[in-house]
């Protein structure tokens, strides 16, 4: 059963070019009509979320993620298009809105709980649990104005989770509090997933998106780039496989493959090849080229390219997979702040791995080069591999630095 349906959703804002704050400015400007710039925050967004499903929404800052969530929550209205929600919505967006800073924690729980739709008796029954979950037992009668910002958000989150949501909208709320409190938040989200709560989750924490979301929507500059399996969409986002927004009438599902198409039948390479990856080589600690390495040794990955014309601000990325295709790690030059002003002609970029953390096994490598806004020049999907030989007696896939104390 469909819980949320978004159809041909558009949202535009009018941004004035001049600001009139005084009577004189208003009078003198009466004969000159104000001028505006139109900003298209969302353009033709379409997706459905089934009951009990978790949808992740990812993208760069300014891509329209929070705007989309606020429209689903009925905080903003769309310019055109339609959002249909068939269950009760609980938005975890701007936590703490409605707090009164001259009132105590307990008094604010009662106000905030009422805003969130809780009944008076329900709030009183859960009051102690809310205070305990937030870790604020000693501060229940302290005025909010004396709380740190982290304490305020913890109190708001602890109150909001008592609402027994049917559809949960979350915007970066797992970033609140210290590590212990964040783990509490993750445990609550895990419980919601087990209870079949429908979740729409906006976050820059790709690990949490990968962990909790069944499918993910990638936005870029207000446009819907791709919707599909969370692991594949995150790969497209981090390593530059994001295509331009689909044209009208095209399928939005990732790769638009039919169910009977096997993964090995998909094209392992794509891009316009303005910058072409011509080869990848692995070098060991002695400077020798090879494909076998001892665990915990350094390694260099050289990515050779040929830029057929001058391109500015390119980004190189890699993704590391186990032999069974599990995504283990990914990064790119932008994330590591290794900016490239431009490329022209032939050359190579090197990824310096200080210490191979894998214990043993064969590992697959994806390499890509793309524009700053994720249009691929050349993408080689899992086309390279290397083997790691064990040098110790520990077992498993990765080494975990640890020691025993007796």
């Amino acid at each position: 059963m469909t819980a949320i349906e978004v159809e041909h959703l558009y949202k535009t804002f009018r941004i004035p070019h001049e600001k009139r704050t005084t009577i004189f400015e208003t009078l003198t400007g009466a004969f000159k009509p104000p001028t505006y710039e139109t900003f298209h925050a969302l353009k033709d967004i379409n997706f459905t979320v089934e009951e009990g499903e978790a949808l992740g929404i990812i993208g760069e800052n300014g891509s329209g993620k929070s705007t989309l969530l606020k429209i689903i929550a009925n905080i903003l209205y769309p310019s055109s298009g339609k959002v249909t929600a068939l269950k009760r919505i609980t938005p975890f967006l701007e936590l703490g809105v409605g707090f009164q800073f001259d009132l105590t924690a307990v008094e604010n729980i009662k106000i905030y709980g009422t805003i969130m739709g809780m009944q008076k008796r329900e709030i009183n029954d859960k009051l102690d649990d809310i205070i305990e979950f937030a870790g604020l037992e000693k501060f229940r009668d302290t005025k909010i104005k004396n709380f740190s910002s982290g304490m305020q958000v913890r109190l708001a989150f602890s109150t909001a989770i008592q609402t027994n949501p049917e559809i949960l909208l979350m915007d970066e709320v797992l970033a609140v509090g210290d590590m212990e409190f964040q783990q509490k938040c993750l445990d609550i989200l895990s419980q919601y997933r087990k209870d079949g709560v429908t979740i729409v989750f906006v976050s820059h924490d790709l690990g949490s998106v990968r962990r909790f979301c069944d499918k993910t929507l990638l936005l870029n500059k207000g446009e819907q780039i791709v919707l599909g399996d969370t692991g594949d969409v995150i790969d497209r986002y981090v390593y530059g496989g994001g295509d331009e927004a689909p044209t009208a009438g095209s399928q939005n599902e990732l790769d638009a493959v039919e169910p009977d198409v096997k993964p090995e039948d998909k094209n392992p390479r794509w891009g316009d090849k303005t910058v072409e990856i011509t080869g990848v080589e692995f070098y060991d600690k002695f400077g020798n080229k090879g494909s076998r390495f001892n665990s915990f040794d350094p390694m260099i990955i050289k990515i050779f390219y040929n830029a057929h014309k001058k391109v500015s601000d390119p980004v190189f990325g890699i993704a590391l997979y186990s032999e069974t295709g599990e995504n283990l790690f990914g990064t790119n030059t932008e994330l590591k702040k290794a900016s490239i002003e431009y490329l022209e002609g032939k050359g190579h970029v090197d990824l310096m791995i200080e210490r191979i953390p894998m214990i043993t096994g064969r590992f697959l490598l994806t390499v890509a080069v793309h524009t700053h806004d994720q249009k691929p020049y050349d993408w080689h999907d899992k086309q390279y591999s290397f083997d790691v030989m064990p040098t110790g007696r520990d077992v498993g896939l990765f080494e975990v630095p640890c020691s025993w104390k007796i």
Side-chain angles (χ1 to χ4, degrees):
M1 179 178 175
T2 298
I4 301 172
E5 185 174 9
V6 176
E7 302 174 85
H8 301 293
L9 189 68
Y10 289 81
K11 181 61 179 177
T12 58
F13 295 96
R14 290 205 309 168
I15 304 172
H17 284 162
E18 57 181 321
K19 185 177 181 181
R20 300 172 183 175
T21 57
T22 67
I23 295 176
F24 177 77
E25 289 173 341
T26 302
L27 291 174
T28 56
F31 302 101
K32 183 174 69 173
T35 57
Y36 296 90
E37 177 182 346
T38 300
F39 174 69
H40 299 281
L42 294 171
K43 311 169 190 175
D44 197 19
I45 307 300
N46 298 272
F47 63 88
T48 60
V49 185
E50 300 302 315
E51 187 174 345
E53 191 173 46
L55 171 72
I57 302 177
I58 61 175
E60 299 290 343
N61 289 332
S63 60
K65 305 184 299 297
S66 296
T67 300
L68 175 57
L69 220 57
K70 288 176 180 177
I71 291 175
I72 297 174
N74 286 320
I75 295 172
L76 295 177
Y77 293 102
S79 300
S80 63
K82 184 171 68 171
V83 175
T84 305
L86 302 179
K87 296 281 186 176
R88 185 179 71 252
I89 291 177
T90 300
F92 285 14
L93 304 182
E94 297 177 9
L95 291 173
V97 173
F99 274 168
Q100 302 298 311
F101 290 94
D102 284 323
L103 299 181
T104 67
V106 169
E107 292 167 334
N108 272 286
I109 289 173
K110 295 178 179 180
I111 295 173
Y112 196 57
T114 302
I115 292 173
M116 297 298 292
M118 298 171 66
Q119 299 299 316
K120 183 177 180 180
R121 182 176 179 179
E122 184 183 9
I123 296 171
N124 290 331
D125 289 343
K126 295 180 176 181
L127 191 60
D128 290 338
D129 292 337
I130 293 170
I131 292 288
E132 182 181 356
F133 188 91
L136 298 173
E137 295 92 334
K138 296 180 180 179
F139 306 98
R140 59 185 298 136
D141 296 317
T142 302
K143 292 183 178 181
I144 290 290
K145 66 181 180 182
N146 295 318
F147 280 17
S148 68
S149 57
M151 293 168 69
Q152 293 174 25
V153 176
R154 279 159 49 195
L155 186 65
F157 184 87
S158 302
T159 305
I161 62 173
Q162 303 296 329
T163 56
N164 299 320
E166 294 178 332
I167 296 176
L168 183 63
L169 307 181
M170 305 181 72
D171 190 356
E172 296 289 3
V173 298
L174 294 185
V176 304
D178 54 24
M179 292 186 65
E180 180 181 357
F181 188 78
Q182 286 183 32
Q183 186 57 51
K184 285 185 179 182
C185 298
L186 293 172
D187 292 340
I188 289 292
L189 188 55
S190 296
Q191 188 59 50
Y192 283 153
R193 294 284 287 120
K194 292 177 183 176
D195 293 343
V197 175
T198 304
I199 298 172
V200 181
F201 182 36
V202 167
S203 182
H204 288 290
D205 182 355
L206 300 183
S208 295
V209 174
R210 189 186 296 275
R211 175 179 173 183
F212 291 111
C213 298
D214 302 298
K215 62 183 182 182
T216 296
L217 171 67
L218 173 60
L219 298 178
N220 183 36
K221 297 179 181 177
E223 300 186 31
Q224 180 168 334
I225 301 301
V226 69
L227 171 67
D229 175 76
T230 292
D232 291 337
V233 173
I234 289 176
D235 286 351
R236 290 288 184 97
Y237 173 51
V238 174
Y239 313 123
D243 299 321
E244 293 183 348
T247 56
S250 67
Q251 295 189 42
N252 293 327
E253 295 298 324
L254 186 63
D255 291 331
V257 296
E258 296 296 328
D260 59 348
V261 177
K262 298 179 181 179
E264 58 264 31
D265 293 334
K266 292 190 290 185
N267 187 357
R269 182 177 183 180
W270 59 87
D272 64 16
K273 296 185 179 63
T274 302
V275 180
E276 186 176 4
I277 294 175
T278 57
V280 174
E281 296 177 351
F282 305 96
Y283 288 83
D284 62 24
K285 60 185 176 182
F286 302 108
N288 299 321
K289 183 173 68 173
S291 60
R292 299 179 63 182
F293 300 85
N294 287 331
S295 57
F296 318 135
D297 274 359
M299 179 173 70
I300 299 174
I301 301 176
K302 287 184 177 290
I303 304 173
F304 295 86
Y305 64 83
N306 185 8
H308 297 290
K309 67 177 183 179
K310 186 175 181 178
V311 297
S312 300
D313 199 24
V315 178
F316 285 84
I318 66 102
L320 190 64
Y321 297 85
S322 68
E323 196 169 11
T324 57
E326 297 167 298
N327 182 254
L328 305 176
F329 174 74
T331 190
N332 62 35
T333 52
E334 184 178 28
L335 293 174
K336 294 297 185 183
K337 302 188 185 307
S339 61
I340 304 171
E341 184 177 354
Y342 69 91
L343 291 180
E344 191 172 19
K346 297 180 179 181
H348 63 84
V349 295
D350 298 345
L351 177 63
M352 317 295 290
I353 299 175
E354 298 177 5
R355 190 174 186 269
I356 299 171
M358 293 83 83
I359 292 175
T360 185
R362 171 163 290 185
F363 300 90
L364 309 178
L365 184 72
T366 291
V367 297
V369 57
H370 57 90
T371 65
H372 177 72
D373 56 358
Q374 302 160 7
K375 180 179 179 181
Y377 291 127
D378 203 1
W379 171 294
H380 296 204
D381 191 54
K382 303 183 187 73
Q383 293 302 289
Y384 308 94
S385 66
F386 61 91
D387 298 311
V388 175
M389 306 293 116
T391 58
R393 299 181 63 184
D394 292 333
V395 297
L397 192 63
F398 287 91
E399 181 201 30
V400 176
C402 60
S403 61
W404 292 100
K405 184 177 182 181
I406 308 299

